[in-house]
Every structure is written in C-alpha cells, then in structure tokens.
Amino acid sequence: MRLVAGVDSSTQSCKVLIRDLDTGATVRAGRATHPPGTEVDPAAWWAALQEAIAAAGGLADVAAVSIGGQQHGMVVLDDRGQVIRPALLWNDTRSAAAAEALIAEFGAEALAARTGSRPVASFTATKLRWLRDAEPEAAARVAAVALPHDWLTWRLRGFGPERPDLDALVTDRSDASGTGYWSPASGAYDRELLVAALGRDAILPRVLGPADRAGTVEATATVVGAGAGDNAGAALGLGAAEGDAVVSIGTSGTVFAVSDTPTADASGAVAGFADASGRFLPLIATLNAARVLETMAALLGVELDELGRLALAAAPGSDGAVLLPYFAGERTPNLPDATASLLGLTLTSTTRENLARAAVEGMLCGLADGLDAVLAQGVPVRRLLVIGGAAQSPAVQRIAAQVFEVPVEVPEPAEYVAGGAAAQAAWALTGERPAWPLATAARPDDATEPVIRQQYARVAPR
C-alpha cells in the first residue's frame, strides 16, 4: 500500500490525513490546535504541524505530502529567514483603509483586470500596505513575503532561520491568486503592485503547477507537493470539475465554482481566484451562514435538529416571513454595518415553524445571491455541491433544492481541504490526478420553489 498525506492548516487547527493512494481511503489522521486571534506567530503553525503529523503516525512510510492552508495571511521574512512580526491572518481587518488606498491609486477596474479581483482587507497586498504605513521599520526589513502554506512547505523541506534560502520558497496558483499582486490570467506576479503595497520589491515564492514537486522532506525522502489555498484544496478534495459549484456552509459561507476561463469583477463581489488544478475558481464569501441557524435556534429555545424539524413543518415561503440574515454585517453584498431584519410578520405568519423556516431560507437565499454573482461572470454551473456542518441538516438539504435552480448534491462530511491536499500529493508523486470516489449523503429532489427567492428579492438591498 502506497500512502500519501494531506494537511489542512486552517485558522483554528492543523489536520493531517494519511490516505491509500490507490483508493483514497483514510488510513490514519492527526490533529492539533492553533492559537486564537487575527495575528499569529507562524512558529505556532509549525509546532501544530509537527504535532499533527506525529499524531497521524509520522511520515516515515508516506510517499508524498502536500499542505493546504488558510489564504491571504501575510508572513514576512528578513534576509536571515526570520519571521519579522506575527502573521496577519485573512480575517484581520486593520488593512481595510489600505485596500481603499490601493483602489484610489490604481482604480477598481484596473486592479480587477490585472489581478482578477478588487482588493479587500483580507488580501496580502492590503496587509503589506498597512505594514508599510503602520510599521515602516518592519517593512524596511522585509526580504521575502510568503503565505501560510508557502512558509510551512518551506519549513517542512528543511528551510528556516538555520537554512535561510529564501529563493527556495514556493507557492501554487490558487494561493498566489489571493495576494492581490499575481494575475491568474497571465500567471505572473505584478511587481508594480507589490512595490505599491510594500514600498519596495521583495522575494516572492516561485509559483508551481498542479503536479509540480516542491522538493522532499529530508528525513524521510517524502515528496512535497505544491500545496494550495483552502478553498482550492476543498475543490480538489471534492473532485470538482468545470461546471461544478460548491456552497460551503460554516460559520461564514463561501460559494465557488470551477471554471475554464478567468474572471475579473471590478465590483468586488466575485474574487477571480485560480484553482489548484490549472483552472480558475471565482469565489464569493458571506459572513452569515450557519450562525444564522444557531441564532434562531437560541431564540426559539431549541436544538438545531428541532429547528430543522420546525422548518420542514412550514410551507415554502414561510407564509411571507422573510429573514435578512445580516447578523454580522455582510461581505456579499458589501454591507459591513448592516443588521438582520425579520420582515413580513402577521398574526398568522408569526409561528415557531415559520420563524425556523425563514432562518433557513434567508441563509440559503444569501448564498444563492452569491451564486448568481458567480453566474453573472459567465461561469457555467450544472451541479451544486453543498458542504459544511449545516449541510447535513435534512431541512437545509431539502430547502436548498427548493432555493437553488441547479441540482443539489450533499457529499458525506469529510475533511475536504486535507483530502484535496492528499490528492495533490498523489498528483505530484505519480503525475496523474487521482480519481478517488466521492461519497454522497443526499441528492434532494425537491422542486424549485420560486416564491422563496421572490420574497427575499423584494426586501434584500441591491
């Protein structure tokens, strides 16, 4: 049995899956936690990776490994390979003003054309601009800029302060596309944008292709793959191909689709990322997803399972009750100061069942608006894969089929980012992308109920 390993170094934790290369079956796994916060010393990620690998039985018998990681995070290194300051994570918003400054200098349309995306606070470029302005002494020391998975891949291959070869840094297309200074369309860094962000040029990781090898783990001779951003890793883990879109319902939500052509949305609604298979991955993000259901369950004094039962006891459209689910503001649409609203209540519509269903419908309509934004970029979608913890709710499954106008499929719950990284490791080892089977939990066949989105559209801001 040949084994490959995939890593998911996420915001909260590090997960390692070791799989049979031939079947994709998970053989063993390990996990370690990351510290909380929006800035983290990368040394904590390295310690967690080592702990998770050890918990998974080590890499001595593993032929290849690849690392999927949280996108956008800023890791800045000096000329000795030392980390200059704690990494700013994707969810650190202190660089919001820096994003607006870059847009004012270059224009939203020009930046979208050059990088596929309009910059926002999560992007690496905006964090570098913040560093330039807020910590100029630190910015002056920057010799190289890496992303979380780039730095971990570098460390796993034996580099670091004790062996500071900055030219050995590598990344992949998917993670490079979230920096704000790399073009998915041309496949090249935009050095002018890097200099505008940081105030000077710096070493950037070499961008590898999907099947390229980054190197090896010296102690075990394990092949190291290119790695990927988390959403691109999940797409690989799902075996997503052109025509597939993914809706991920976690605390926040994402909608992304595999496309054969790049996108460039100057409005900023859709980020024009690359994927980890050589294609493209237009993506939108919402701030309100599973937390909408948790909030309504708490209001009604029930568990999530009972919330789902109540929701299915109500008719599509919730008798006119509509929830605009902006409890945490919203990113898509861009309404950071918005609040949630419950509308359309009457003496007859104000029931526990309708309130429960309005929560599910409101959450899914927000994601459906995101899918519409992706479709508006000319991306074809023929199948919708719905993942995340909330996707296992029968109510979410059935109502999703009533909200979305494309067939819905719910895969079995799994660590899809780590699984995608393992698939990439297999690809780097053999030169062929594995065709591991995808286990399906549900294929709801409920007919689309137009009333749900029609009601939502009447009250949602545009």
Side-chain angles (χ1 to χ4, degrees):
M1 179 189 297
R2 290 187 299 174
L3 301 179
V4 292
V7 178
D8 175 11
S9 182
S10 71
T11 312
Q12 295 86 11
S13 64
C14 181
K15 289 151 279 191
V16 175
L17 291 184
I18 296 178
R19 290 186 151 183
D20 180 345
L21 184 148
D22 295 321
T23 67
T26 298
V27 176
R28 53 186 195 261
R31 183 187 180 102
T33 59
H34 286 161
T38 63
E39 66 171 40
V40 172
D41 184 346
W45 299 334
W46 176 236
L49 175 60
Q50 292 175 297
E51 182 182 343
I53 288 173
L59 299 179
D61 58 347
V62 174
V65 62
S66 194
I67 299 174
Q70 53 181 302
Q71 284 188 270
H72 309 304
M74 180 191 75
V75 182
V76 285
L77 305 174
D78 65 17
D79 57 7
R80 298 173 297 165
Q82 298 275 3
V83 174
I84 294 171
R85 70 170 325 282
L88 297 188
L89 306 191
W90 64 274
N91 55 353
D92 192 298
T93 60
R94 72 186 76 178
S95 56
E100 293 305 314
L102 288 170
I103 292 168
E105 289 171 26
F106 291 94
E109 289 189 7
L111 289 170
R114 291 169 70 164
T115 68
S117 303
R118 174 176 173 151
V120 293
S122 59
F123 284 18
T124 316
T126 67
K127 299 180 187 306
L128 290 173
R129 170 58 74 90
W130 174 86
L131 185 72
R132 187 201 77 172
D133 295 342
E135 299 179 359
E137 292 183 1
R141 293 175 54 204
V142 175
V145 182
L147 301 167
H149 110 256
D150 309 344
W151 185 80
L152 285 170
T153 298
W154 189 64
R155 295 289 284 137
L156 189 63
R157 292 162 54 216
F159 299 103
E162 65 286 349
R163 190 184 170 197
D165 184 355
L166 299 177
D167 290 325
L169 285 163
V170 297
T171 190
D172 86 305
R173 296 172 68 255
S174 69
D175 235 1
S177 67
T179 60
Y181 45 79
W182 186 83
S183 167
S186 70
Y189 283 116
D190 192 320
R191 293 281 175 174
E192 182 187 11
L193 295 180
L194 172 67
V195 172
L198 180 60
R200 52 201 293 270
D201 205 355
I203 294 170
L204 296 174
R206 181 166 53 95
V207 182
L208 301 180
D212 289 344
R213 298 183 178 190
T216 60
V217 180
E218 187 173 358
T220 60
T222 304
V223 168
V224 180
D230 49 6
N231 291 301
L236 273 185
L238 289 161
E242 196 271 340
D244 287 334
V246 179
V247 172
S248 178
I249 311 176
T251 301
S252 57
T254 55
V255 181
F256 50 91
V258 177
S259 172
D260 283 340
T261 56
T263 61
D265 180 8
S267 76
V270 179
F273 295 152
D275 81 343
S277 75
R279 293 182 174 86
F280 303 92
L281 200 75
L283 177 147
I284 70 95
T286 68
L287 299 179
N288 300 279
R291 70 176 79 191
V292 176
L293 308 185
E294 294 163 0
T295 300
M296 186 59 74
L299 176 66
L300 296 177
V302 297
E303 300 295 327
L304 287 172
D305 287 348
E306 177 64 9
L307 182 82
R309 189 196 67 76
L310 289 169
L312 289 177
S318 309
D319 275 343
V322 180
L323 176 67
L324 281 179
Y326 303 151
F327 291 99
E330 193 47 270
R331 175 173 167 180
T332 307
N334 185 23
L335 299 168
D337 299 320
T339 56
S341 301
L342 188 58
L343 307 164
L345 298 183
T346 66
L347 290 174
T348 56
S349 69
T350 308
T351 66
R352 290 162 59 82
E353 290 80 4
N354 283 330
L355 293 180
R357 186 174 183 105
V360 180
E361 290 180 345
M363 176 192 73
L364 290 171
C365 282
L367 292 165
D369 280 355
L371 179 61
D372 284 349
V374 172
L375 292 170
Q377 295 299 305
V379 178
V381 173
R382 293 182 289 273
R383 179 178 67 155
L384 197 65
L385 299 168
V386 183
I387 63 173
Q392 300 308 308
S393 161
V396 171
Q397 294 170 3
R398 289 191 56 189
I399 296 173
Q402 296 168 355
V403 167
F404 294 103
E405 295 182 359
V406 292
V408 169
E409 184 172 330
V410 182
E412 290 283 358
E415 298 289 352
Y416 285 109
V417 177
Q424 188 186 59
W427 203 349
L429 182 68
T430 67
E432 295 183 3
R433 180 178 176 179
W436 293 334
L438 179 66
T440 301
R443 289 189 179 91
D445 58 1
D446 295 67
T448 304
E449 296 283 355
V451 65
I452 300 173
R453 295 202 64 198
Q454 288 168 359
Q455 290 183 159
Y456 189 85
R458 283 197 289 268
V459 300
R462 299 294 173 183

